[in-house]
Amino acid sequence: MMERMAEQAPTQVMGIVNVTPDSFSDGGRFAHVDAAIGHGILLAAQGASIVDVGGESTRPGATPVPPPEECDRVVPVVRELAAQGIVVSIDTRHPETAAAALDAGARIVNDVTGFTDPRLVAVAAAAGATVVVNHMPTDDPRTMQAHATYADVVTEVRDFLARRIDECHAAGIADIVIDPGIGFGKTTQHNLLLLRHLDQLVALGRPVLVGVSRKRFIGELSNDATTDQRLGGSLAAGLAAVARGASILRVHDVAETVQALRLWHAIDDA
Ligand code: HH2
């Protein structure tokens, strides 16, 4: 699906909706769900062609969320956004959650652990879903930064993604999007090298999605700017990725990213 969409539009924007307790200051489950639905609708109106719904933070050191709790958070949000005609992606590494979200209308499964769990591959294949295969050097977000050691990060990430493409394809999945996994078991230098040499991932022949929005390496390169002070760096890194062939940007700040992309493409087309 995203391969077809990527041919139509120069660059797509995936807007991020987190249904995690720490994303909202207070309130019960309904407050979370209602706020998340409202946010997803806003992001779509701002120009996101995909809304990515997640119920588990994957930041380094984050506490894992059991699938039943994750489903409670994300399924009502997915169902309502999909009912409104929005293309919804479910950001999960758990097969149970992916299955429930696909059943509720999600069309894309985004797995930060890169579909290394055969059960998740089977769930996506059975539903005919598009998959986003993210690189991560281990499947545990809690310890991923301890695995930030590579002889040649670009080659290792490319080879990992090439293997995952082959395995997903063999399982019957047609639409495969790949992602270098910026910030997932990577140092700032690893992130910069992956962005600089993104063309090597583009050469694998699949749409490339990049998630740089508000990430820590931007803070590290800008006097420890906090997450809400990283918009400039997020836009710059996103455009650098687009210049090297990225098809989809996963972002928090959809309106600003859409405006930046509009200018970028208008200059190319002038
Ligand atoms: N990054 C985060 C979560 N999911 N999925 C893909 N495909 N690529 C990414 O880079 C990616 C992802 C984590 O980003 P973070 O800044 O923690 O965002 P959030 O917690 O708001 O999802």
Side-chain angles (χ1 to χ4, degrees):
M1 175 182 22
M2 281 200 274
E3 281 163 289
R4 285 195 295 280
M5 292 192 296
E7 280 163 22
Q8 291 159 16
T11 310
Q12 293 186 71
V13 173
M14 171 187 268
I16 301 167
V17 171
N18 280 314
V19 202
T20 46
D22 48 338
S23 295
F24 303 97
S25 52
D26 57 10
R29 181 173 156 264
F30 275 119
H32 292 160
V33 167
D34 284 348
I37 291 168
H39 194 55
I41 292 170
L42 174 69
L43 297 184
Q46 289 177 338
S49 56
I50 305 157
V51 171
D52 191 39
V53 178
E56 180 189 49
S57 176
T58 47
R59 287 189 172 81
T63 316
V65 178
E69 194 179 331
E70 190 184 21
C71 285
D72 278 353
R73 295 177 182 180
V74 296
V75 169
V77 179
V78 169
R79 182 170 289 118
E80 182 57 30
L81 294 179
Q84 302 227 7
I86 295 170
V87 175
V88 178
S89 157
I90 177 70
D91 185 347
T92 187
R93 56 202 176 101
H94 299 127
E96 303 88 333
T97 307
L102 289 165
D103 206 42
R107 288 157 67 183
I108 301 162
V109 181
N110 173 25
D111 173 25
V112 296
T113 63
F115 288 86
T116 43
D117 180 345
R119 294 176 306 148
L120 189 60
V121 175
V123 165
T130 296
V131 297
V132 179
V133 179
N134 185 69
H135 173 271
M136 199 167 143
T138 165
D139 59 7
D140 188 349
R142 286 174 297 182
T143 57
M144 63 186 176
Q145 286 311 108
H147 295 261
T149 48
Y150 307 88
D152 176 345
V153 68
V154 177
T155 305
E156 286 172 49
V157 169
R158 187 195 61 201
D159 291 351
F160 171 92
L161 292 173
R163 279 196 305 277
R164 303 312 314 142
I165 290 170
D166 287 348
E167 285 181 31
C168 287
H169 195 254
I173 297 173
D175 290 334
I176 303 167
V177 175
I178 55 173
D179 183 331
I182 298 298
F184 287 92
K186 321 259 173 13
T187 63
T188 291
Q189 184 64 11
H190 294 143
N191 293 326
L192 296 175
L193 285 170
L194 284 165
L195 290 169
R196 178 168 180 196
H197 298 289
L198 203 69
D199 55 327
Q200 293 196 32
L201 305 188
V202 174
L204 293 174
R206 302 286 174 167
V208 173
L209 183 151
V210 170
V212 289
S213 186
R214 301 184 186 173
K215 283 195 175 163
R216 191 162 44 175
F217 79 113
I218 297 172
E220 277 175 20
L221 291 171
S222 45
N223 295 322
D224 292 326
T226 54
T227 46
D228 58 353
Q229 298 169 332
R230 296 178 188 167
L231 177 58
S234 302
L235 294 173
L239 292 181
V242 171
R244 290 161 175 80
S247 300
I248 305 155
L249 297 181
R250 179 184 182 274
V251 305
H252 301 87
D253 302 291
V254 169
E256 292 82 355
T257 304
V258 167
Q259 186 183 66
L261 287 168
R262 197 163 286 156
L263 266 289
W264 176 270
H265 290 298
I267 292 166
D268 267 350
D269 294 345

